[in-house]
Amino acid sequence: TQLLEQSPQFLSIQEGENLTVYCNSSSVFSSLQWYRQEPGEGPVLLVTVVTGGEVKKLKRLTFQFGDARKDSSLHITAAQPGDTGLYLCAGGPYNQGGKLIFGQGTELSVKP
Amino acid sequence: DVKVTQSSRYLVKRTGEKVFLECVQDMDHENMFWYRQDPGLGLRLIYFSYDVKMKEKGDIPEGYSVSREKKERFSLILESASTNQTSMYLCASRGGTGTGGNQPQHFGDGTRLSIL
């Protein structure tokens, strides 16, 4: 069974701080997606990375796919209270159609 | 915008009852998924479907079944509800066919199910 280990599970920081969330696996994935979920809502896609070593930026969020396609990171610069939420990484395994394997999630709280 | 609608936000049922969770998507997507979400465990795939009347087991199918009679509707059925099925249930749909794994999944807002 392929697993995605996401860390940390909880993160509480002050506004303006930087943070990094990690997503690691021993398996290779064809792609890696990051979702954000707010209370009472379903997850919403932030980004998809598909090439080993790929870096994508979304305003203050930087996403990286590892060279070996086994890991990914999400870095937030100068966090804002509006960044508060649950961040989920999800890997697309090879030869398993459109299935996604989800990490456990990182609960981020940014205090003003 | 893709809209995935789950019929109930909150549901309370008793052990042994047969429970139906309904999900409808409006984007003509081929693929639909049912997950359960529990704290510290992320999202776990229960069942998915690549086409009408087609279903495949996910990682935790025990105690569940599904139905997809029409393309836009995917139903999750708890045959005989038990307390360990108390959870948040999320439905998702995805465009693309076959191995379109890079396409995003679009989620409903979830059904919080409590089994007493």
Side-chain angles (χ1 to χ4, degrees), chain A residues 1 9 30-31 33 35 37 40-45 48 50 86 88 92 96-105, chain B residues 9 33 35 37 40-43 45 48 50 57-59 90 94 98-105 107-110:
Chain A
T1 303
Q9 282 200 38
S30 64
S31 65
Q33 297 180 345
Y35 291 80
Q37 184 178 18
E41 299 181 8
V44 176
L45 181 74
T48 301
V50 297
L86 178 68
L88 293 156
Q96 291 194 40
K99 283 178 63 175
L100 289 176
I101 306 296
F102 280 85
Q104 305 98 317
Chain B
R9 293 299 297 268
F33 306 82
Y35 296 89
Q37 182 175 28
L41 297 178
L43 274 67
L45 183 63
F48 59 105
Y50 288 143
K57 292 180 180 179
D59 299 318
L90 287 164
R94 176 178 65 78
T99 58
N102 295 343
Q103 298 284 332
Q105 292 193 10
F107 287 84
D109 286 337

Side-chain angles (χ1 to χ4, degrees), chain B:
Chain B
D1 269 359
V2 176
K3 188 159 180 65
V4 178
T5 303
Q6 295 184 229
S7 54
S8 306
R9 293 299 297 268
Y10 301 94
L11 208 52
V12 180
K13 297 290 182 181
R14 298 217 172 265
T15 55
E17 282 193 65
K18 191 168 187 176
V19 181
F20 294 85
L21 302 184
E22 306 287 346
C23 176
V24 176
Q25 50 97 0
D26 66 357
M27 281 302 291
D28 202 37
H29 283 169
E30 303 285 343
N31 312 282
M32 296 188 74
F33 306 82
W34 273 107
Y35 296 89
R36 63 177 283 176
Q37 182 175 28
D38 300 289
L41 297 178
L43 274 67
R44 292 181 292 166
L45 183 63
I46 304 171
Y47 266 97
F48 59 105
S49 170
Y50 288 143
D51 202 353
V52 175
K53 295 191 186 293
M54 177 272 174
K55 60 186 179 185
E56 284 198 30
K57 292 180 180 179
D59 299 318
I60 52 164
E62 295 78 20
Y64 303 94
S65 63
V66 290
S67 171
R68 191 152 181 216
E69 295 295 319
K70 293 185 178 181
K71 192 175 186 180
E72 68 271 18
R73 186 180 297 270
F74 192 34
S75 303
L76 179 69
I77 304 155
L78 284 66
E79 297 291 343
S80 177
S82 63
T83 54
N84 62 12
Q85 292 179 308
T86 291
S87 186
M88 169 69 85
Y89 289 87
L90 287 164
C91 173
S93 73
R94 176 178 65 78
T97 57
T99 58
N102 295 343
Q103 298 284 332
Q105 292 193 10
H106 301 268
F107 287 84
D109 286 337
T111 295
R112 188 163 291 283
L113 175 64
S114 295
I115 307 296
L116 304 179

Side-chain angles (χ1 to χ4, degrees), chain A residues 18-40:
Chain A
N18 301 333
L19 67 114
T20 302
V21 178
Y22 299 94
C23 192
N24 296 296
S25 177
S26 58
S27 304
V28 177
F29 291 99
S30 64
S31 65
L32 206 296
Q33 297 180 345
W34 284 90
Y35 291 80
R36 180 166 168 256
Q37 184 178 18
E38 299 195 42

